Amino acid sequence: MYRDETAETAETAETAETAETAETAETTETTETTETAGAAETGVAQAQAVVGGTDLGHLLVSLQLTDSAFPSGFYTLSHGLEGFAQQGAVGPDSLAALLHDVLRHGVGPADATALALAHRAAAAGDWDAVTATDRRLYATKLGRETRQAATRTGRQLLDLAAEVFGAPGVVRHHREVTARRAPGTQAVAAGVVYAATGVPVRQAVAADLFAFCASFAGAALRLRLTDHRLAQRLLRQAAPVIEETTHEALARGLDDLGATTFAVDVMSARHERAEARLFAS
């Protein structure tokens, strides 16, 4: 009788131990699966954060690219304003009107339109269309000064963005520009960078237009055409024009790309031959 109870007790203990071991293994496996899934989700979230995969991330990318501290080369440009100032063709009272005209008839139909086209093409992986847009925009820059300004800032943007964001699209276009298979204009470079970081095309166009206006206002400050307070009023007054220009740029195709700001072209040509210049354009 004692021997049977001992055997039964041993069997019961063995069964309990087996069940406990199975439960422990199952619990461990469940925990590992949960940790693996959590790590995968974290990896996805980190990858999205790198390229600005959220609405807030897109905003932060836009803020970084439009910040005056971002060394894209805009600080060296007056966008034709110095040429107007040298000829006495602009003053504090006409500064806003000049900026609005340049947005509506120059930057909007040319650079902003190119940015939108390049953004869509890059997002779709159509790199031939990106290059075609780049070449078309470069061809519309009539003066040597404006062409050099567009390509210098564009190449600087691509070089820095490839390091900062490391997105494949940016690296690819940077390689094409470095190999001289594309001019590397600033607007097309910006379109590629914004597309690669997931920033929506409408936001990208508006952000780049604001960066242009901020650069224009900065040049006006250095040329003593305005002061800091009036410069902020100038930017605020430009906001409705930026919205209008963004809307129109998004509706244009490649055949409609090109500026009609002939006075800016003339002032730029004169500025090239000026004896003293503060800005590169």
Side-chain angles (χ1 to χ4, degrees), residues 241-255:
V241 185
I242 291 175
E243 291 189 37
E244 172 194 327
T245 305
T246 298
H247 177 74
E248 293 178 353
L250 293 172
R252 292 191 187 92
L254 186 61
D255 291 340

Side-chain angles (χ1 to χ4, degrees), residues 75-86:
Y75 183 78
T76 65
L77 309 179
S78 77
H79 311 286
L81 183 58
E82 186 173 23
F84 279 89
Q86 288 173 341

Side-chain angles (χ1 to χ4, degrees), residues 44-61:
V44 171
Q46 288 175 343
Q48 288 179 337
V50 169
V51 296
T54 64
D55 289 343
L56 183 57
H58 298 156
L59 174 61
L60 292 173
V61 170

Side-chain angles (χ1 to χ4, degrees), residues 119-141:
H119 185 292
R120 291 176 180 138
D126 189 351
W127 296 102
D128 288 340
V130 171
T131 300
T133 303
D134 203 9
R135 291 172 177 168
R136 177 62 178 264
L137 179 61
Y138 182 78
T140 66
K141 305 288 184 182

Side-chain angles (χ1 to χ4, degrees), residues 78-81 84 95-111 209 212 216 241 245 259-261 263-264:
S78 77
H79 311 286
L81 183 58
F84 279 89
L95 196 59
L98 176 60
L99 175 58
H100 298 173
D101 283 347
V102 171
L103 285 172
R104 289 189 174 110
H105 307 295
V107 180
D111 299 81
L209 285 171
F212 172 86
F216 185 95
V241 185
T245 305
T260 54
T261 48
V264 175

